[in-house]
Amino acid sequence: MMDLKLAEPALLRDAAFVGGVWVAGAASIAVTNPADGEVVGHVPDLGEAETLLALDAAVPAQAAWARVTGKGRGAVLRRWGELMMDHQEDLARIMTAEQGKPLAEARGEVAYAASFLEWFADEARRITGDVLTPHQTDRRILVRKEPVGIVAAVTPWNFPLAMITRKAGPALAAGCAIIIKPSELTPLSALALAYLGEQAGVPAGVLSVITGQAAPIGNVLTGDKRIAKFTFTGSTGVGKKLAARCMETVKRVSLELGGNAPFIVFDDADLDAAVEGAIASKFRNAGQTCVCANRLIVQSGIYDAFAAALAARVAGLKVGPGLAGPSDQGPLIDARAVEKARAHVADAVARGGRVLTGGAPVAGGGTFFAPTVITGVPADALLCREETFGPVAGLVRFETEEEAIAIANDTDAGLASYLFTRDYERVWRVPEALRYGMVGVNTGLISTEVAPFGGVKESGMGREGSHYGMDDYLNLKMVCLAVAG
Ligand SMILES: NC(=O)c1ccc[n+]([C@@H]2O[C@H](COP(=O)([O-])OP(=O)(O)OC[C@H]3O[C@@H](n4cnc5c(N)ncnc54)[C@H](O)[C@@H]3O)[C@@H](O)[C@H]2O)c1
Ligand SMILES: O=C[C@H](O)CS(=O)(=O)O
């Protein structure tokens, strides 16, 4: 088993957090490092029974938590975020070991994840309602905002901490309780987060983290009527299936699903800025982010210069295990991810694409794939139709702005999109024409706790982060009072 060299070894948990109790369970699941297959730790293989225990504990705990003042709830969230930053290095080492991202990226994610707890610590005291102008002189109308109740959350492996705090932050700020099923690939980060939440003063039952087989746990989280809201971050296919099941008990549902981001470079773009933006957007987390540039759509006049400059930068990216020293890119999460990247490259080449750099798995073990640039990619290649979720940049050529927008919008996804131009009218015109939840203009990095994150079309519903992020965890209650006229 790996020695993570943690300053606080207790952060590496081998038990799940069920209703305020650390539960070991009969069987366990090994968590392995994608860089070399070494065992990082073990977590309990829990199921329906333990999920019901968490839910039984959540019912009274949530009622009590909702009676705490917003200021009181905010103080616990703020302390939780502070403890995350106090343990930033340990949390980053656990994350890199189980997910693979370079240590510098993992440190960044710890800070990004903590920023949601800090943000929603403040939102907790700003939950306000309305007093409306009545329709009759003998009536008074109020609108209250109340916590939805018990929340179930299912989260992915690619951002093992941030995708949890982006939900737990607003949920606890609103006065909800939350039961989280993290990805079976990265449960150790989630359990370390729960350990710090307990230390921060999150009451027993308000937070549970259940590890184990997805289906039996998910059946309770999507089917039990005591759960008022279900929030999912993950692939579009799984999200659709789970959301459908939630409708049997008409739960509130928010979905953060897959993307297929266009990255449009116009002739008038700043070439260096566009190349750096493409590196930041395409190759962060080895291309395994939902907002990665998935199609680089480049105008003819700048195409060759952009392709050459991008390929030169990509060829210089250092690939290696995240805990073995500085690197720009770690392994992909598993062999299936490597195969998907390989298939997308093969399809693009079969359709006339030319590999300028990379194009294949890196020899020598682990699930490393060389950062890749391919030119001459047709807009209907697999690379453009599917979310690659790997370090492969395919360049599509276009002539006119109308053509670029048509190519960009030709997908069922609608999460993130990007454009690089120095034409100030185009800066307004093109974002208005793009059918996406988010648009980056002259930047490849758009994610922040202060802005609403989310998609349209089949990329999901609801928003996470910003004051908008509270809406999914609050119900509106109208009160109509008869008073003497
Ligand atoms: N929009 C966003 O904010 C966002 C953020 C991160 C990742 N994603 C998307 O997530 C995907 C990658 O993450 P992934 O591979 O973990 O996705 P995934 O859908 O395979 O898994 C996501 C979660 O769902 C769980 N799950 C799978 N089947 C289940 C079932 N039957 N019942 C209950 N839970 C079940 C998994 O265990 C995991 O915890 C990509 O498509 C990416 O775009 C989107
Ligand atoms: O993968 C999706 C995440 O939301 C990525 S980000 O760090 O929020 O951009």
Side-chain angles (χ1 to χ4, degrees), residues 6 22 37 48 91 124-125 137 150 162 184 192 214 223 242 301 318-319 379 383 407 420 432 463 465:
L6 301 182
W22 290 97
E48 181 176 329
L91 291 174
R125 61 170 67 188
T137 56
I150 297 171
E184 55 279 10
L242 299 183
K318 185 175 185 301
V319 179
L383 207 49
I407 294 170
F420 280 72
E432 290 167 357
R463 290 295 181 269

Side-chain angles (χ1 to χ4, degrees), residues 266-292:
F266 289 95
D267 284 346
D268 62 21
D270 177 319
L271 178 63
D272 292 341
V275 169
E276 290 312 310
I279 294 288
S281 173
K282 176 70 248 186
F283 295 96
R284 180 164 66 108
N285 200 15
Q288 300 170 121
T289 92
C290 58
V291 292
C292 279

Side-chain angles (χ1 to χ4, degrees), residues 154-155 157 166 181 184 232-235 256-257 290 387 453:
V154 172
T155 54
W157 52 262
R166 213 161 70 173
K181 190 210 78 68
E184 55 279 10
F232 174 83
T233 298
S235 65
E256 291 286 356
L257 304 177
C290 58
E387 184 180 46
F453 186 106

Side-chain angles (χ1 to χ4, degrees), residues 145 148 252 467-475:
K145 288 185 180 179
V148 294
R252 294 278 298 271
H467 67 276
Y468 296 100
M470 289 297 293
D471 295 348
D472 282 329
Y473 297 89
L474 294 167
N475 282 332

Side-chain angles (χ1 to χ4, degrees), residues 60-347:
Q62 187 275 323
W65 181 240
R67 291 194 292 272
V68 175
T69 63
K71 185 175 180 180
R73 297 197 296 267
V76 171
L77 286 171
R78 183 168 291 101
R79 182 65 188 133
W80 195 3
E82 289 167 354
L83 286 173
M84 287 190 71
M85 293 310 291
D86 291 347
H87 298 279
Q88 182 179 20
E89 190 64 18
D90 279 357
L91 291 174
R93 296 184 69 82
I94 292 170
M95 183 186 298
T96 293
E98 66 175 354
Q99 195 270 343
K101 64 182 67 177
L103 201 51
E105 283 195 32
R107 293 185 187 113
E109 185 186 335
V110 174
Y112 177 51
S115 75
F116 289 102
L117 298 180
E118 178 196 27
W119 176 271
F120 287 105
D122 291 336
E123 288 294 333
R125 61 170 67 188
R126 296 197 178 94
I127 300 169
T128 59
D130 277 317
V131 177
L132 305 182
T133 303
H135 57 304
Q136 297 173 197
T137 56
D138 60 352
R139 293 291 184 270
R140 298 297 180 270
I141 299 180
L142 311 177
V143 177
R144 291 172 45 85
K145 288 185 180 179
E146 300 176 346
V148 294
I150 297 171
V151 176
V154 172
T155 54
W157 52 262
N158 64 335
F159 287 83
L161 289 176
M163 298 304 96
I164 292 178
T165 59
R166 213 161 70 173
K167 301 173 188 299
L172 269 60
C176 299
I178 189 167
I179 301 171
I180 299 157
K181 190 210 78 68
S183 171
E184 55 279 10
L185 300 175
T186 55
L188 296 169
S189 296
L191 294 174
L193 182 66
Y195 175 73
L196 295 178
E198 184 183 31
Q199 289 194 351
V202 177
V206 170
L207 167 70
S208 288
V209 175
I210 311 284
T211 59
Q213 300 307 317
I217 297 168
N219 285 342
V220 176
L221 298 184
T222 56
D224 194 297
K225 64 171 51 182
R226 292 174 291 176
I227 291 173
K229 174 180 170 70
F230 181 77
T231 175
F232 174 83
T233 298
S235 65
T236 303
V238 173
K240 286 180 177 179
K241 184 174 71 173
L242 299 183
R245 183 161 152 75
C246 287
M247 285 305 108
E248 293 170 19
T249 50
V250 194
K251 298 184 191 320
R252 294 278 298 271
V253 172
S254 52
L255 300 171
E256 291 286 356
L257 304 177
N260 182 1
F263 186 100
I264 308 171
V265 182
F266 289 95
D267 284 346
D268 62 21
D270 177 319
L271 178 63
D272 292 341
V275 169
E276 290 312 310
I279 294 288
S281 173
K282 176 70 248 186
F283 295 96
R284 180 164 66 108
N285 200 15
Q288 300 170 121
T289 92
C290 58
V291 292
C292 279
N294 202 62
R295 297 163 288 155
L296 285 78
I297 306 168
V298 185
Q299 199 161 20
S300 280
I302 198 172
Y303 189 95
D304 293 341
F306 177 80
L310 180 64
R313 271 286 274 123
V314 171
L317 294 176
K318 185 175 185 301
V319 179
L323 293 175
S327 68
D328 299 305
Q329 182 182 307
L332 303 194
I333 190 65
D334 56 22
R336 192 160 58 111
V338 172
E339 178 46 35
K340 184 172 189 181
R342 194 201 58 73
H344 278 197
V345 170
D347 173 76

